[in-house]
Each structure stands twice: as structure tokens, then as C-alpha cells.
Amino acid sequence: MKRTDFDAVAERVRNWGRWGPEDQRGTLNHIGPEVLKAASETVLSGKLFSLGLNFDSNGPQLGARRFNPKLYPIDLFTPLNPERPAFVYADDVIHMPLQAATQWDALSHVHYDGLLYNGCKACDVLSPRGAAKLGVEHMANPGIMSRGVLLDIARLKGVDALPTEHAITPDDLDAACAAQGVQPKAGDILLVRTGHIRRFTIEGDRAAFNGHQPGLHHACAEWVHDRSLAAVCADNLAVEIMGAGRRDSEVPLPFHMLCLRDMGLPLGEMFNLEALAADCAQDGRYAFLLAASPLAFTNAVGSPVNPLVLK
Amino acid sequence: MKRTDFDAVAERVRNWGRWGPEDQRGTLNHIGPEVLKAASETVLSGKLFSLGLNFDSNGPQLGARRFNPKLYPIDLFTPLNPERPAFVYADDVIHMPLQAATQWDALSHVHYDGLLYNGCKACDVLSPRGAAKLGVEHMANPGIMSRGVLLDIARLKGVDALPTEHAITPDDLDAACAAQGVQPKAGDILLVRTGHIRRFTIEGDRAAFNGHQPGLHHACAEWVHDRSLAAVCADNLAVEIMGAGRRDSEVPLPFHMLCLRDMGLPLGEMFNLEALAADCAQDGRYAFLLAASPLAFTNAVGSPVNPLVLK
Amino acid sequence: MKRTDFDAVAERVRNWGRWGPEDQRGTLNHIGPEVLKAASETVLSGKLFSLGLNFDSNGPQLGARRFNPKLYPIDLFTPLNPERPAFVYADDVIHMPLQAATQWDALSHVHYDGLLYNGCKACDVLSPRGAAKLGVEHMANPGIMSRGVLLDIARLKGVDALPTEHAITPDDLDAACAAQGVQPKAGDILLVRTGHIRRFTIEGDRAAFNGHQPGLHHACAEWVHDRSLAAVCADNLAVEIMGAGRRDSEVPLPFHMLCLRDMGLPLGEMFNLEALAADCAQDGRYAFLLAASPLAFTNAVGSPVNPLVLK
Amino acid sequence: MKRTDFDAVAERVRNWGRWGPEDQRGTLNHIGPEVLKAASETVLSGKLFSLGLNFDSNGPQLGARRFNPKLYPIDLFTPLNPERPAFVYADDVIHMPLQAATQWDALSHVHYDGLLYNGCKACDVLSPRGAAKLGVEHMANPGIMSRGVLLDIARLKGVDALPTEHAITPDDLDAACAAQGVQPKAGDILLVRTGHIRRFTIEGDRAAFNGHQPGLHHACAEWVHDRSLAAVCADNLAVEIMGAGRRDSEVPLPFHMLCLRDMGLPLGEMFNLEALAADCAQDGRYAFLLAASPLAFTNAVGSPVNPLVLK
């Protein structure tokens, strides 16, 4: 991708100032009471789904910087009162990257040209104490709930998982909307299924899951922008395509940059959409209530999440 | 409290075997599709509330064992591709007790007489690798969503916060139901407001927040059991009363023991109910949709949570 | 190895009770003032060597349980006094296994048949709070200094590194003593060079370093016992041989068991002996002053160390 | 203290360029083979002392940023081979500030006016990945050993511990040299006893230990410089005096700045000198062999240490 082409798109989708100079929530501002009321009205069957991966040493991380969570039980078999030794408790401590498994990227997670969303200067905002602005705590209060819409691109293409080189285009999204009979609206949260997570959850191939992978083409940023969506989530590592030839692009992770930095739109990664997608295929309903609140880690650039869907 | 009196209550509320010998979810089994459907129908205004505290070094913890979260930003200003230095990202690592602020206790958090919920032997289940059974991951899949009911005992008594020695009785709960015009039903999650959290959030007195405090009398366990509630949460440290004279009890934290170990009922602690309670007082509606899913930390005895309420 | 054969050796080398029923230092008791005085007299050239590996993310660990150290800088560029912003400081936090690189095993690190060194019951001593007895803090006060003796088996065999299947025998040790003109005495610390560490430090092959490797045959335990040595260290992962066929042994890590549990003799692992060995070969002097004190981590089963040799 | 006065001293003691433009070891360069040979010759009695505090939750730290070490035992009672369950091991993980108890400050620990020792630009060197130059690993290879000299100022003044407002002057140091019959020489490491550590180790008053405290007046920097000492250590929090009125100084922690940044001289803090001092008083010998090597934490600004003295 050429930088000049990227810049043209970025200019069209940029939301800086749209919700005031001090705004820290970006497109989450699209979620108002009407959207939430409408979201609750999508609930018909009372079926509940969790889209989160487990957080443990068998998680999807391969490496030493983004490692899998380390759990340290403490106080096992410790009496609450030494005089009543029969009554005991246990606690535990976690050590983990906030980007270890199913998670939200906060608006402070990436930037370019020294500026974050809303024009915040990165050098003023980011420090070893964290993100003084645009931290994930601003996405957590109020937390993230809305109408969710699933676009199941893998099913559209008739495969369990898209080929690793498949870049999902706006046309793919439109075709899925048509095939599934659903239309994302302002304030909705878009869930895009590539099937890629099966390479980890079913095939158990961590390396494949972290390697080249299907995902959104950056052109989808405009599609998302035009519909005033609140957030985009997917079942792969980074929502967008990551693969061969990407290293040559003049813009690394362009969809990240357009969403997080220009639009102020949060990205949800490693959402496990398998069970939900099967149910949607069965009942033909691809819109539902989605509750996927990050934890309010002050000054953090991300948060693990256990997204819930109620249909 | 006498151990013999405690044992009599424990026997009456014990749910062991009720959902099979392998059950790991206890009273969350009360939440079925009808409950969830009904929960969604409580939504009228589309107002959204977060009940979670922030997770940071200014949290409610005083001590060194249960300490406040430590956030370590890494990769600040790190280029995604060294050849494109303008495009950068940041990650972060968290080190925290899973019991640091707003959180769920898993069924494996406490036990007595060597047995956990459902008769699991503690010595077989708990080890330095965590809770092999009854870990919080079982409460996370599917995660916790249901109808929530707020009983605002502080408001019932006409105070901002209950006196620290106030033990909330079943009569208090009944009086609040009557005054607020709400009746908890099977599968509901009970939120009890003592106002105690204001001692931390408003007065900023961490020591007072961790000291003697109002909360549920253990007699409320039978009240909860009789109504087949799914979980109980409160705005204090431990849901139940903790205070003067409690050290003399033959049973430490009796409500914890009855709920987590005998009933298999999860407890939610340090839920910030202030804004929600004000809204309920205004519109007179004390039932709502509650989404409060723990993260699926495998083998852990608790999880932080950012509970969301949609009214 | 047959368990019965092992037990016969274990009985011969067992030091339980030798230094009293409460002893926590085992063979470190062999190091007295005379030994230390003699050690200082070995210093002739004033040459100083460090035998420690670096502690960082590029360390020898492959895995997720024994991982490489994680360093978190904090307070970078933080003013000591906000009114004097020109004067700043930085701190850092480490998260690491105490067994990550060059390190001591404490006597509490391994045991068998439910008993630790000196007959301590493992179930009474070891808990999620650590080792209530035989922790590394007892090896740290007073810390470890003595005469060190290098036996360079790789050089004896004329190779850079012993083949991975080479089990060093008492005969090898005797031959090295003869070839090098040195005789280990009571209270000495034995350093055994296999050259194996080069597979990590020079060849950069972490997998090879963690795989099959040369090391001491368990028969050397008697050799060490007969000479009243204070400790044994080597340049491999576990001092003793680890390799093909070891899984069939009825006793895993027999040298560890005999040394740590029966003799009460600390083991030093991943000591980088390359520069020291080259110098010893050059001047023909294989005895020197060794200062290799563990840190006093209370109740820990090991400690990183930066061993110093002064010749 | 006036900034202009400070600058005059700084200019006199500055060692930048003295050991080349790439030097990372500062005054440790004063320690050569002759110094080390002479150090070994001070050993007469073979008595060994550890000067390190224990590393655990009862350590000297009061706060949440510089907290006491957290030890997490893992793999307790884990079989080395599942088929041989009688043979088990345990490991542990530590989470701690490198500045938690007895420790070395690396040359990268503090700076002023944007420059570190040897004129390194702080903005180029310090980042969330640590200190790219002047990290403690450079002090660790070869590690720190030399002749140590104790100047016992508390004993000189006839007190167990100096009053908290006592600033140790060059005259005090001279008087101690005369009284104790010892003269620090080039390459020596100076240990200064204030007795302050007793407020923690004996009186158990953590707050007092962290409060106002006696220590070196910054004028001692020239005294140290004139004698070409290699390092200075003390039994208080920061070697230098910290107390009332210091907040008004135009230069916070001036001795730190002069030593670490201008001279390139490492500081050792919280060295427990009590037992050593008693012995020196008894035999009248205040010079000895000191082995106090930091661990080679790559890019870290400090390291815990267990200093050993052999007399």
C-alpha cells in the first residue's frame, strides 16, 4: 500500500474533534440509549454465548513478549482465623500481557506520525506510566454493550476457515449482509468471522494461528465509517489481514491505524465466534445483544474481555 | 455463632448433587433461557451503567498480599516494522491479585472441613497449580448474565452508608423488596447496596473501607436459597458483615461458607452501586439486565469483572 | 538405574544428623575459617572472572514455566523532586524464575519418599508460601565462599564440549585431578567443565542446550562425599547427565537426589566456565578463591548467582 | 544547596572520558589485579560475613512502587517423571524491584540535565526496554570484588546509630581513618556505617528506616574522588543523608548525582554492617576482602546483592 493512498482514506474516515477536543471514547459515542434499547429487543430465544478464550498457559501466544498468562495461587489452605483451622481460603495472582488472548485494543494502542486519536501528541500521552489519555479505562466506563451483528464470511465462502491469504473486502461484507439478511446500523458492533481461530482452538496449531492469516482489507475502514459502527471484532489475531507481502506495504497494519488512530474505533481480537455462528446459521438471526466490557485498567492500552452474546 | 447452629443452616441450603456429581457451576444453573429472555425485557430506557472500580495502584487494597494492580507498559513507541518507524504500537503487562477490586469469588475460593462445593475434596482439587475443579473458568463459559435486582438497604434506612456494625437481616431484605416494589425470582442476581464503598470512592479512606463494615447476616443465606437466586453481589469487601466480635464466632465468614461451599453460589464483591442506585430511586425500577462475566482464568479462584447494567 | 542400587548409595552418603537435627546448611558446614584462609592464599595473579550468564529475555530458557527473566523499567525520567525536574531517576522490576540461568539449587529443591535433607517431612516444610525449612536463605547467611577447584573434563578428553551422551565418572574426575595437578579437599567447591554451555553461549542453540547433555554420573556422589566437598557446580543444565535412556531409570535425577536430599550438598548450575578454564589451562593452576553467594530469598528453593573467581 | 556550588564540585570530580568514550564501568576501572591481589592478602582469620538483608515480604520497603519481593512457589510436589511419583521437585518465581533491599545502583540509575555518566544522552539510552548503556550488567562482568574498608562513624561518635540529622563530613571520614588505623586506597570500596539500619533490623521500625536518616554529606564526593575509590556503600537507604530541609536544596540527592553521573561511581545501599563492625572493633582490622557482585540483569539500573566479606 502506498502512503499517499493511505493518507487519502485516513482523511475521509478521521473523526478527530467530532465528539469534542477532549473526547476519549471515539466511535463508542455512537452507542446511545436508543441503540441499547434496540439491542435488547433483538433477544428472542434467551440463548447465551461466551466468545472468550481461556486465559492460561495453553493460550494462543507463542512468544516471550506477548506470553500466555501466568497464574500464581497463593494462600492455599490458609485459615481465615488461625483459631478455626477448618475454615480456609485461597487467592491467586495473575501476571499477563493485556493482549494475551480475547481482548480489546484501546485507542492508545497504536499511532503514527506522532499523533494518536483526536490529535493527541504521543510524546505527551505515552510514558512508562502508561497512556495518560485514551487508556482502556475510558472504554470501560460506561463499558461496551450494544447490538452486535455477525458477518460470517467463512460460511459465505463455504469454508470452515478462509484461506490465509484472503483479504475480506467491502464487497464480501455486502454479500454477507445480503446472504444473512442483516444490515449493520449506527452504533452496532461488527463481528467478522474468518474461521481462522479454529487453527488454534480445533487444530491446536499455535504457529499457524500466529502466522499469515485472513482478515479485513483496509478498504473496509470506509465501509465501517460510512455505517457509523461503534467497534469491529474478529476471530483472528488482528482483525485485519496479516500475511505475505504485508512487509512491503508502506503502512504496517493499515486497518489498525485507520480504526484506532483516525476513526477512534476500538478493535476486538481473538473473539471465538464458532458456536455463535453455528447458532446464527441455524436460526437465521445475525443480530443480538453483545456485552463485551473491558476492565478499567487505568492508563492501559488494552484489556482482556469475555464477550457475551444474548440472542 | 455456634458451629452447631451453622451446621443446621448449612444442611438446609446445601445444593450438593442437585445438578449432578460433576457440576461446577452451582446456582448459575438457575439461569436458563427464560430467565435471560425475561431479563432482556426489563430494558426500557437504554441506560447503561458500569459497576466496576478502576484497576490501578490507587485501588482499594491496603496490603502486600492483596495488593493493588501493577501495570507495566512495554514496547512504547516500538515500530511495527523497523523500516516504517512512523507507525508504532504499545503493549502492557499486568501483575495483580484476581481479588484486587471489583471481582467474583469462584466456588473454589473458600471451603471448610476439607470439602468444597459438591463434596469435592480440597486436597485433591487445590494445589500450587490452582483449582483443578470449580475454577472461575466454569463460571465464565457461558459467562454471567441475568436479571439483576438491586436492594438498596442504605436508602431503606435513610443513610448514605450503613453503620459499620449493621448486619443486614432477611427482614431488611423483605422490607427493601416491599419499599422498592421488586421481588427477586429464580435465576436472578441480587445486588445489595450498603453504601460502604463510598468510604473508599468518595471519602478516600482505604483503611475504613477495609475495616469493620456492614453486610449481610449469614441468615440471609436461607433467604437467598429459598428464592433460588443465582448469585449475590454487594458494594463492600466481602458481601457479608465483617466487624467487631466476628473473631469470636466459631465460623469465620459464615455467609461465604454457606454460599460458595454449601450452595455453590458465587459472590460478587466491591460492586460500585452508587450511580445505579440513584437511577433506580429516580425511576422506581429495581430490576434490569446485568452482564457481569468473569474472565476464564483456568484454575483460578476468582476474577476481576466490570459489571454492566442495562435498564 | 535400579531403586535398590540407588538406595544403597544413598545410605552411604547420607549426612542426616551429622550437623545436628536442626541443621539447614548441609555440606556448607565443611567450609570453616581454615578453608577460607587457605582459599585466599590461592590468589596469585589478581585475575577476576565472572561465571554468570546474563539475566534477560535472551537467556537459556525455552519454556513457559521456566521462562527467561522479564524486566520492567519503571519511573524512567521521573524527577526526584517535582520542583527540580532536571534531576531524575529510574527503577526497574524483575519477574523471573529463580532457576532461570546461573543459579544455586537449595536443599529444598528436590526430595523423594516424602523426606527432604535431614529427614524433614516435605508435607510440613513445603507449601504455597515456600520452603519453611532448607530455603536458600540458609545458604546465604553466611553466603558461599570457599576454595574452588576446576576439573576440566572437556579438555581432558580433548574436545570443546563433551558428547551429549557422556556420563562423567569418578575415573574421569581422578584423571582430571592427575592431569591438572590438583586435589579437591574438604570444604572445596568443585566446578566441573563439560563445555556444554557453549551450545548456548557460542552456538546459540537453546534447544540443544536444553536437550540431552553430558554431566556427572550419579556414582560421582560417593566421590564427592568421600572428599567432604561443600558443593558441586557445572556448566550444564543440571550438573548431572540428562539424556537418552534416563526416562527408564527407576530414579530420575539421581545425582540431584543424592546431593541435595541425602548429602545436603548444594548444586550450582549453568556456571559459565569457558574463560576461567582457558586461564587455568594457561597457568596450570586449577584452584582459586570462589565467591558465589546466593541472595537470601526467604523460603525459596533456589537463587540466581553471579559467581566470581579470583586467582 | 545552590546549583552553582554543586556544579563547581561536579566539574572537579567528573570522570567523563577518563576511561574512553565507550566506558561503561566508571570507577570500577580502578580495581586492577594488584588491588585484588592486595585484597586477598588482607585475609587473616578466615571469618566470613554476609552484609545482605533477606529478600521477602518483611523487607524494608513501605510502598507500592518500591515494594517488598513477592515469591511464588510453583511445581511444589511435582514429579520429575510422572511414572516415578516419589521423586519430586519445586521451583519458584520472584517478582521484585531491583531496588528492594541490599542493592547496587547502576550508573544509569540517576542523571541530570539530560546526560548520564560519560556524557551519554539520557533520551538515547533510557527507554521502556531499559538502559541501553550503563546497565548493571556492565558492573557484573567482571563482577565487583576488591579490598573493602569500613569506616564506622557510629562507633566513632560513640552511638549505636547516628542521629537522623547527622551529615557525615570529610572530617568525620578522616577522623574514622585515624581512629581505626586504616587508609582507603585506589580501587578500594568504602563501607560507611551509620548504624541507621538498626532502626529496621533491630527496632523493626520500617517507617523510621525510610524517613529522615543520617548519611554522607555531598562534600564527601571529593574525598572519595581524591582517593580514587571504586565504590561507596552504606547501611542506610541512599548512602547520603536524606532529611529535613533537603527538599529546599536546589539539587536533590546531590551525592547520588556526583557519584553515579559525574564520577561513574556505583553506590551500594542497605548493606547490613552490624556484625562486621563488631568484629572489626574487636580485632582492630578495618580492611578486608569484599565480594559483592551484582547479577547481570541486562539493561537494568540496579541489582540486589548479597555482599560477602572475608577477613
Side-chain angles (χ1 to χ4, degrees):
Chain A
M1 184 186 205
K2 290 282 179 207
R3 176 64 197 261
T4 47
D5 297 340
F6 173 84
D7 286 345
V9 179
E11 204 164 325
R12 285 197 293 275
V13 302
R14 193 168 297 138
N15 283 324
W16 297 6
R18 182 169 179 174
W19 295 284
E22 295 303 319
D23 177 55
Q24 314 232 20
R25 286 173 53 84
T27 53
L28 294 180
N29 287 294
H30 287 308
I31 306 173
E34 300 74 23
V35 171
L36 285 161
K37 181 79 179 71
S40 73
E41 291 165 359
T42 63
V43 178
L44 298 182
S45 66
K47 277 195 195 168
L48 184 64
F49 299 86
S50 283
L51 312 182
L53 296 175
N54 274 22
F55 292 91
D56 59 37
S57 59
N58 297 314
Q61 300 303 318
L62 276 173
R65 282 195 84 74
R66 281 200 187 168
F67 53 91
N68 287 312
K70 298 176 185 299
L71 181 75
Y72 301 114
I74 60 172
D75 294 317
L76 285 174
F77 301 103
T78 302
L80 287 156
N81 175 346
E83 293 174 27
R84 313 288 179 201
F87 297 85
V88 302
Y89 77 105
D91 273 14
D92 24 38
V93 168
I94 197 82
H95 188 78
M96 67 181 284
L98 296 177
Q99 295 79 15
T102 309
Q103 59 113 353
W104 282 111
D105 284 350
L107 304 185
S108 44
H109 180 51
V110 301
H111 65 273
Y112 64 88
D113 290 355
L115 297 180
L116 295 154
Y117 168 69
N118 228 5
C120 295
K121 285 188 187 168
C123 59
D124 292 347
V125 168
L126 298 171
S127 82
R129 298 212 170 202
K133 292 186 180 179
L134 305 174
V136 81
E137 75 272 27
H138 299 290
M139 293 165 49
N141 194 0
I144 299 179
M145 191 184 282
S146 192
R147 196 176 78 132
V149 170
L150 173 69
L151 294 183
D152 187 342
I153 311 301
R155 198 167 307 261
L156 178 75
K157 302 293 185 182
V159 295
D160 279 343
L162 295 173
T164 54
E165 70 278 12
H166 187 100
I168 297 169
T169 62
D171 284 349
D172 287 336
L173 299 178
D174 284 330
C177 289
Q180 299 173 187
V182 70
Q183 202 50 249
K185 295 183 294 194
D188 281 357
I189 293 176
L190 178 63
L191 307 183
V192 179
R193 178 168 174 264
T194 68
H196 181 66
I197 207 165
R198 300 166 64 95
R199 295 185 174 115
F200 170 63
T201 55
I202 294 181
E203 298 166 24
D205 188 343
R206 217 179 253 117
F209 180 67
N210 283 274
H212 292 172
Q213 54 195 276
L216 293 178
H217 186 276
H218 63 264
C220 296
E222 288 190 83
W223 193 94
V224 166
H225 181 69
D226 292 346
R227 281 152 188 80
S228 298
L229 303 187
V232 180
C233 311
D235 59 351
N236 56 7
L237 205 65
V239 181
E240 67 191 288
I241 186 167
M242 291 177 74
R246 300 290 142 186
R247 283 264 142 186
D248 298 333
S249 169
E250 290 184 8
V251 180
L253 290 187
F255 189 76
H256 265 66
M257 297 296 162
L258 294 170
C259 289
L260 293 169
R261 190 264 203 182
D262 291 305
M263 298 170 60
L265 179 137
L267 297 177
E269 297 165 344
M270 296 181 260
F271 280 44
N272 188 351
L273 304 171
E274 294 305 289
L276 174 64
D279 190 77
C280 293
Q282 196 163 26
D283 69 8
R285 296 193 304 110
Y286 284 85
F288 34 75
L289 180 74
L290 173 69
S293 190
L295 297 171
F297 292 112
T298 307
N299 297 352
V301 303
S303 173
V305 62
N306 185 9
L308 300 183
V309 162
L310 182 59
K311 290 188 64 177
Chain B
M1 184 184 204
K2 290 285 179 206
R3 175 66 198 259
T4 47
D5 297 340
F6 173 82
D7 287 345
V9 179
E11 203 165 326
R12 284 197 293 274
V13 302
R14 194 168 295 140
N15 283 323
W16 298 6
R18 182 171 180 174
W19 296 284
E22 295 304 319
D23 177 55
Q24 314 232 21
R25 285 173 54 84
T27 53
L28 294 180
N29 287 293
H30 288 307
I31 306 173
E34 300 74 23
V35 171
L36 285 160
K37 180 78 178 74
S40 72
E41 290 165 359
T42 63
V43 178
L44 298 181
S45 65
K47 277 194 194 167
L48 184 65
F49 299 87
S50 284
L51 312 183
L53 296 175
N54 276 22
F55 292 92
D56 59 37
S57 59
N58 296 315
Q61 299 303 318
L62 275 173
R65 282 195 85 75
R66 281 200 187 167
F67 53 90
N68 287 312
K70 300 177 183 298
L71 181 75
Y72 301 115
I74 60 172
D75 294 317
L76 286 174
F77 302 103
T78 301
L80 287 156
N81 175 346
E83 294 173 27
R84 312 290 178 201
F87 297 84
V88 302
Y89 76 106
D91 274 13
D92 24 39
V93 168
I94 197 81
H95 188 77
M96 67 181 283
L98 296 178
Q99 296 79 14
T102 309
Q103 58 114 353
W104 283 110
D105 284 349
L107 304 187
S108 45
H109 180 49
V110 301
H111 66 274
Y112 64 88
D113 290 354
L115 297 180
L116 296 154
Y117 168 70
N118 227 7
C120 295
K121 284 189 187 169
C123 59
D124 293 345
V125 168
L126 298 171
S127 81
R129 296 210 171 203
K133 292 187 180 179
L134 305 173
V136 81
E137 75 271 27
H138 300 289
M139 293 166 47
N141 194 3
I144 299 179
M145 191 184 283
S146 192
R147 196 176 79 132
V149 170
L150 174 68
L151 293 184
D152 187 342
I153 311 301
R155 197 167 306 261
L156 178 75
K157 302 294 185 183
V159 295
D160 280 343
L162 294 174
T164 55
E165 72 277 10
H166 187 101
I168 296 170
T169 63
D171 285 349
D172 287 337
L173 299 178
D174 284 329
C177 289
Q180 298 174 189
V182 70
Q183 201 54 247
K185 293 183 296 194
D188 281 358
I189 293 176
L190 178 63
L191 307 183
V192 180
R193 179 169 173 262
T194 68
H196 182 67
I197 207 165
R198 298 167 66 95
R199 294 186 174 114
F200 169 64
T201 55
I202 295 181
E203 297 166 24
D205 187 342
R206 218 180 250 118
F209 180 67
N210 283 274
H212 291 173
Q213 52 193 279
L216 293 180
H217 187 274
H218 62 264
C220 295
E222 287 191 82
W223 194 95
V224 166
H225 181 69
D226 293 345
R227 281 152 187 80
S228 296
L229 304 187
V232 180
C233 311
D235 61 349
N236 56 8
L237 207 63
V239 181
E240 69 192 286
I241 185 166
M242 291 176 75
R246 299 289 142 187
R247 282 264 142 186
D248 298 332
S249 170
E250 290 184 7
V251 180
L253 292 186
F255 190 76
H256 265 66
M257 297 297 161
L258 294 170
C259 290
L260 293 168
R261 190 263 201 183
D262 291 306
M263 299 169 59
L265 179 138
L267 298 177
E269 297 166 345
M270 295 181 260
F271 280 45
N272 188 352
L273 304 170
E274 295 303 289
L276 173 65
D279 189 78
C280 293
Q282 197 162 25
D283 69 9
R285 297 192 303 109
Y286 284 84
F288 34 75
L289 179 75
L290 173 69
S293 191
L295 297 172
F297 292 112
T298 307
N299 297 351
V301 303
S303 173
V305 61
N306 184 9
L308 299 184
V309 161
L310 182 60
K311 290 188 65 176
Chain C
M1 183 184 208
K2 290 284 177 207
R3 175 64 197 260
T4 46
D5 297 340
F6 173 82
D7 286 345
V9 179
E11 205 164 324
R12 284 197 292 275
V13 302
R14 193 169 295 139
N15 284 323
W16 297 7
R18 182 170 180 174
W19 295 285
E22 295 304 319
D23 177 54
Q24 314 232 20
R25 287 175 51 86
T27 53
L28 294 180
N29 287 294
H30 288 307
I31 307 172
E34 299 74 20
V35 171
L36 285 160
K37 180 79 179 73
S40 72
E41 289 164 1
T42 64
V43 179
L44 298 182
S45 65
K47 278 195 196 170
L48 184 65
F49 299 87
S50 284
L51 313 183
L53 296 175
N54 274 22
F55 292 91
D56 59 37
S57 60
N58 296 315
Q61 299 303 318
L62 275 174
R65 281 195 84 75
R66 281 201 187 167
F67 53 90
N68 287 312
K70 299 176 183 300
L71 181 75
Y72 301 114
I74 61 172
D75 295 316
L76 286 174
F77 301 104
T78 301
L80 287 157
N81 176 346
E83 293 173 27
R84 312 289 179 201
F87 296 84
V88 302
Y89 77 105
D91 274 14
D92 25 38
V93 169
I94 198 81
H95 188 76
M96 67 180 284
L98 296 178
Q99 295 78 17
T102 309
Q103 57 115 356
W104 282 111
D105 284 349
L107 303 186
S108 45
H109 180 50
V110 301
H111 66 274
Y112 64 90
D113 290 354
L115 297 181
L116 296 154
Y117 168 70
N118 227 6
C120 294
K121 285 189 187 169
C123 60
D124 293 345
V125 168
L126 298 170
S127 82
R129 297 211 171 205
K133 291 187 181 178
L134 305 173
V136 81
E137 75 272 27
H138 300 289
M139 293 165 47
N141 194 2
I144 299 179
M145 190 184 284
S146 192
R147 195 176 80 131
V149 170
L150 173 69
L151 294 185
D152 187 344
I153 312 300
R155 197 168 307 260
L156 178 75
K157 302 293 184 182
V159 294
D160 279 343
L162 294 175
T164 56
E165 71 276 11
H166 187 101
I168 297 170
T169 62
D171 283 349
D172 287 337
L173 299 179
D174 284 330
C177 288
Q180 298 173 188
V182 70
Q183 202 51 249
K185 294 183 295 193
D188 281 358
I189 293 176
L190 178 63
L191 307 183
V192 179
R193 180 170 173 262
T194 68
H196 181 66
I197 207 163
R198 299 166 65 96
R199 296 186 171 111
F200 169 63
T201 55
I202 294 180
E203 298 165 24
D205 188 342
R206 218 179 252 115
F209 180 67
N210 282 273
H212 292 173
Q213 52 196 277
L216 293 180
H217 187 275
H218 62 263
C220 296
E222 287 191 83
W223 193 94
V224 165
H225 182 69
D226 292 346
R227 280 153 188 79
S228 297
L229 303 187
V232 180
C233 310
D235 60 350
N236 55 8
L237 206 62
V239 181
E240 68 190 290
I241 184 168
M242 292 176 75
R246 299 290 141 187
R247 281 264 143 187
D248 298 332
S249 169
E250 289 184 9
V251 179
L253 292 185
F255 190 76
H256 265 65
M257 296 297 161
L258 294 170
C259 290
L260 293 168
R261 191 264 202 182
D262 291 305
M263 298 170 60
L265 177 138
L267 298 177
E269 296 167 343
M270 296 181 260
F271 280 44
N272 188 350
L273 303 171
E274 295 304 290
L276 174 65
D279 190 78
C280 293
Q282 196 163 25
D283 69 9
R285 296 193 303 110
Y286 284 84
F288 35 74
L289 179 75
L290 172 68
S293 190
L295 297 171
F297 292 112
T298 308
N299 297 351
V301 302
S303 173
V305 62
N306 185 8
L308 300 184
V309 161
L310 182 59
K311 289 187 66 175
Chain D
M1 184 185 206
K2 290 284 179 205
R3 175 64 197 261
T4 46
D5 297 339
F6 172 83
D7 286 345
V9 180
E11 205 164 325
R12 286 196 291 274
V13 302
R14 192 168 297 140
N15 283 323
W16 298 6
R18 180 170 180 174
W19 295 285
E22 295 303 319
D23 177 56
Q24 314 233 20
R25 287 174 52 84
T27 52
L28 295 179
N29 287 294
H30 287 308
I31 307 173
E34 299 74 20
V35 171
L36 284 161
K37 181 81 178 70
S40 72
E41 290 164 0
T42 63
V43 179
L44 298 182
S45 65
K47 276 194 196 169
L48 183 66
F49 300 86
S50 283
L51 311 184
L53 296 174
N54 275 22
F55 292 90
D56 59 38
S57 60
N58 296 315
Q61 299 303 318
L62 275 174
R65 281 195 85 76
R66 281 201 186 165
F67 52 91
N68 287 312
K70 298 175 184 300
L71 181 75
Y72 301 114
I74 61 171
D75 294 317
L76 284 175
F77 301 105
T78 301
L80 287 156
N81 175 348
E83 294 173 27
R84 313 289 179 202
F87 297 84
V88 302
Y89 76 106
D91 274 14
D92 24 39
V93 168
I94 197 82
H95 188 78
M96 66 180 285
L98 296 177
Q99 296 78 17
T102 309
Q103 58 115 356
W104 282 111
D105 284 349
L107 303 187
S108 44
H109 181 50
V110 301
H111 66 273
Y112 64 89
D113 290 354
L115 297 179
L116 296 154
Y117 168 70
N118 227 7
C120 294
K121 283 188 188 170
C123 59
D124 293 345
V125 167
L126 298 171
S127 82
R129 298 211 170 204
K133 292 187 181 179
L134 305 175
V136 80
E137 75 272 28
H138 299 290
M139 292 165 49
N141 193 0
I144 299 179
M145 192 185 282
S146 191
R147 195 176 80 134
V149 170
L150 174 68
L151 294 184
D152 187 342
I153 311 300
R155 197 167 307 261
L156 177 76
K157 301 293 184 181
V159 294
D160 279 342
L162 294 174
T164 55
E165 71 277 11
H166 187 101
I168 296 169
T169 62
D171 284 349
D172 287 335
L173 299 178
D174 284 330
C177 289
Q180 298 173 188
V182 70
Q183 201 51 249
K185 294 183 295 195
D188 281 357
I189 294 177
L190 178 63
L191 307 183
V192 179
R193 179 168 174 264
T194 68
H196 182 66
I197 207 164
R198 300 166 64 95
R199 295 185 173 114
F200 169 64
T201 55
I202 295 181
E203 298 166 24
D205 188 342
R206 215 181 253 116
F209 180 68
N210 283 274
H212 292 172
Q213 53 194 277
L216 293 180
H217 187 276
H218 61 264
C220 296
E222 289 191 81
W223 193 94
V224 165
H225 181 70
D226 292 346
R227 283 153 186 78
S228 296
L229 304 187
V232 180
C233 311
D235 60 351
N236 56 7
L237 206 63
V239 181
E240 68 191 289
I241 185 168
M242 291 177 73
R246 299 289 142 185
R247 282 265 143 187
D248 299 333
S249 169
E250 290 183 8
V251 180
L253 291 186
F255 190 76
H256 265 65
M257 296 296 162
L258 294 170
C259 289
L260 293 168
R261 190 264 202 183
D262 291 305
M263 298 170 61
L265 178 137
L267 297 177
E269 297 166 344
M270 295 180 261
F271 281 42
N272 188 350
L273 304 171
E274 294 304 291
L276 174 65
D279 189 79
C280 294
Q282 197 162 24
D283 70 7
R285 298 194 301 111
Y286 284 84
F288 35 74
L289 179 75
L290 173 69
S293 189
L295 296 171
F297 292 112
T298 307
N299 295 353
V301 303
S303 172
V305 62
N306 185 9
L308 300 184
V309 161
L310 181 60
K311 288 187 67 176

